[in-house]
Amino acid sequence: MIYKRSSELFTAAQRVIPGGVNSPVRAFKAVGGDPIFVKEAKGAYLYDEDGNRLIDYINSWGPMILGHAHPPVVNAVIDKAKKGTSFGMPTEIETQIAELAVSMVPNIDKIRFVNSGTEACMSAVRLARGFTKKDKIIKFAGCYHGHSDSFLIQAGSGAVTFGSPNSPGVTEGTAKDTLLARYNDLEHVKSIIKSNKGEIACIIIEPVAGNMGCIPPVKGFLEGLRSLCDAHSILLIFDEVMTGFRLAKGGVQELLGVDADIVTFGKVIGGGLPVGAFAAREEIMNYLAPLGPVYQAGTLSGNPLAMAAGLAMLKELNNNVTIFDSINKKTEYLHQGITKVLEDKKVVHTINRIGSMISVHFSENPVVDFESAAEANNETFKKFFHGMLDHGIYIAPSAFETWFITEALSYDDLDETIKAISITAESL
Ligand SMILES: *Cc1c(COP(=O)(O)O)cnc(C)c1O
């Protein structure tokens, strides 16, 4: 496939936008080459500026769980746009989406909408600190909670892809309040709590990690965190920005039956528009301004277009819960197909999957935490990525990302993908 016009557009973009992109994960820095510029997308396919059709396994990094330009979502946005795009005043639709979200997700009474997953996680931690009157937080190496200062300590996703898990610009003062634990290592968390007794406000975690590839929690890990939090008056924050409304209607809390104190959302909840949200039981949420002392605000929060897209998306998922089964089956089919062709071609690999999250690591060892994810062979990944792209399959340009499966994929698309992997594997 030829990507000439994309390269020209990238050259122009680099003159006026740092690195030519508005979010680093879009660059191809880790895999080499120029990023592809999209013209439009429909269902499971992207159409780029050179006229290529690509099968999309990023899907805007998660939101397009029902495919691109999904008609109910698009129509809801068009209808709303005609009536004005922002008021900075309350609207009924904010209550409608809040009621629906609260009914779908366990353990939440109230929810506040913001504009991104970053904002949701940043606000959730502030709320946890205000509520517990403690300062320190525990996060896990390789987990990504957006780009606010407290989280850029051994962060996953783009932060690790570009070699800046600890970003310059984050002050020592901020960094010292973020305590770092190993994912899936309960003993490590225990020892951190022991040496910071009475100082920890919250533990924030991706309950299924998706920003160092896909790493499910080992049995007992989340349950163990729950007990530790209860024993030490620490709030447990599930960052469900990626997993929420994807792994189940009620996210990981429902899927794995572990309760969180605060939950954050993004991606799917906005149906492809900029939306994040955080939610908790009433006693915690009432700590927020204007009811309580913890301040949090936003000019465009609860924006009518964003709420219309989100509401249409959540309705679709709530009214057709078989979607989750269907998308899980497609992912399982892909999983089996990839396993078979990589085994046939004797390519060393490990595949992690839970529900519709899947990642392929070119490593022979189990991938259970950041260290084991980082051990995988990046040179093999680069060749794999470009091989796939040559066959019109678009996966994330980094080995530290999950594949985002969309319900819009047909079994023919999956077969085409598996065939592309088979051909690509010959030269790995
Ligand atoms: C994407 C993501 C974020 C950040 O969301 P943005 O909307 O990009 O700010 C936070 N947490 C997790 C788990 C994510 O996957």
Side-chain angles (χ1 to χ4, degrees):
M1 286 193 178
I2 293 170
Y3 298 105
K4 182 167 172 288
R5 178 142 173 79
S6 275
S7 292
E8 288 165 5
L9 291 171
F10 185 51
T11 303
Q14 287 177 93
R15 288 191 205 109
V16 281
I17 300 172
V21 290
N22 279 312
S23 189
V25 293
R26 297 174 198 171
F28 278 15
K29 226 176 140 189
V31 289
D34 294 343
I36 289 162
F37 278 61
V38 190
K39 193 164 188 181
E40 56 188 288
K42 179 80 190 144
Y45 308 127
L46 298 167
Y47 301 90
D48 73 5
E49 291 281 357
D50 286 284
N52 300 307
R53 189 206 80 173
L54 301 161
I55 301 181
D56 188 9
Y57 284 96
I58 301 188
N59 284 290
S60 187
W61 305 88
M64 319 321 284
I65 190 168
L66 301 179
H68 291 284
H70 189 58
V73 175
V74 171
N75 292 336
V77 174
I78 292 171
D79 288 348
K80 267 286 174 227
K82 289 178 183 157
K83 296 172 182 155
T85 57
S86 180
F87 313 113
M89 293 167 72
T91 53
E92 184 181 9
I93 195 170
E94 294 164 79
T95 308
Q96 291 168 341
I97 185 173
E99 283 173 348
L100 183 54
V102 164
S103 77
M104 291 170 80
V105 177
N107 300 315
I108 64 171
D109 301 318
K110 293 186 179 181
I111 183 165
R112 170 140 313 159
F113 285 91
V114 294
N115 305 290
S116 68
T118 296
E119 251 191 274
C121 295
M122 176 185 89
S123 308
V125 165
R126 185 184 305 136
L127 178 58
R129 284 173 163 154
F131 185 78
T132 59
K133 305 189 171 57
K134 295 186 276 188
D135 289 345
K136 293 186 178 171
I137 68 172
I138 295 180
K139 88 169 274 286
F140 294 86
C143 281
Y144 182 68
H145 306 293
H147 64 92
S148 94
D149 286 1
S150 314
F151 302 130
L152 289 181
I153 319 288
Q154 289 278 309
S157 186
V160 35
T161 306
F162 301 109
S164 49
N166 310 296
S167 174
V170 176
T171 65
E172 264 177 52
T174 299
K176 82 172 177 16
D177 284 331
T178 301
L179 308 167
L180 199 65
R182 258 187 312 277
Y183 201 84
N184 276 330
D185 187 346
L186 204 54
E187 289 308 312
H188 192 207
V189 179
K190 273 187 202 160
S191 75
I192 292 174
I193 294 177
K194 204 168 160 200
S195 43
N196 295 273
K197 249 203 154 59
E199 294 184 275
I200 298 168
C202 62
I203 296 177
I204 183 165
I205 185 165
E206 290 179 62
V208 169
N211 284 291
M212 42 185 167
C214 168
I215 300 187
V218 295
K219 213 171 182 327
F221 179 56
L222 296 179
E223 293 82 351
L225 293 180
R226 180 67 270 169
S227 316
L228 283 173
C229 284
D230 289 340
H232 297 275
S233 304
I234 295 169
L235 295 183
L236 182 58
I237 304 178
F238 275 6
D239 176 352
E240 298 229 37
V241 170
M242 191 183 293
T243 54
F245 307 103
R246 169 171 287 278
L247 292 185
K249 187 162 72 90
V252 176
Q253 289 194 92
E254 176 190 321
L255 184 75
L256 300 181
V258 182
D259 299 343
D261 296 302
I262 305 179
V263 194
T264 63
F265 299 103
K267 302 197 166 108
V268 175
I269 200 173
L273 267 77
V275 181
F278 58 107
R281 57 183 182 272
E282 186 161 13
E283 120 196 70
I284 298 175
M285 289 309 272
N286 287 353
Y287 246 71
L288 276 181
L291 274 185
V294 174
Y295 197 69
Q296 188 282 325
T299 300
L300 291 173
S301 292
N303 172 268
L305 302 196
M307 297 295 96
L311 181 60
M313 175 65 93
L314 295 196
K315 274 187 183 165
E316 291 277 288
L317 297 173
N318 194 45
N319 296 342
N320 310 288
V321 277
T322 55
I323 286 172
F324 297 104
D325 266 345
S326 167
I327 193 172
N328 290 354
K329 285 210 181 82
K330 287 177 185 175
T331 314
E332 191 183 344
Y333 182 85
L334 186 67
H335 183 172
Q336 285 170 357
I338 302 175
T339 303
K340 184 167 182 312
V341 295
L342 290 184
E343 273 174 7
D344 281 353
K345 305 282 169 12
K346 306 215 168 2
V347 177
V348 169
H349 70 280
T350 295
I351 297 178
N352 284 353
R353 180 180 69 85
I354 181 165
S356 62
M357 287 166 62
I358 183 170
S359 57
V360 182
H361 304 258
F362 295 104
S363 167
E364 57 193 336
N365 301 321
V367 175
V368 295
D369 57 14
F370 178 65
E371 266 173 36
S372 44
E375 271 171 18
N377 188 330
N378 202 42
E379 289 309 308
T380 308
F381 179 81
K382 276 189 204 176
K383 283 192 234 158
F384 179 70
F385 171 82
H386 282 290
M388 298 298 280
L389 199 53
D390 285 344
H391 291 96
I393 315 283
Y394 191 57
I395 61 169
S398 160
F400 293 102
E401 305 288 354
T402 297
W403 299 31
F404 297 93
I405 307 299
T406 169
E407 174 63 0
L409 284 162
S410 68
Y411 281 89
D412 283 346
D413 296 326
L414 297 171
D415 286 337
E416 190 178 329
T417 305
I418 294 163
K419 193 164 161 235
I421 294 174
S422 173
I423 301 167
T424 302
E426 278 172 25
S427 49
L428 288 182

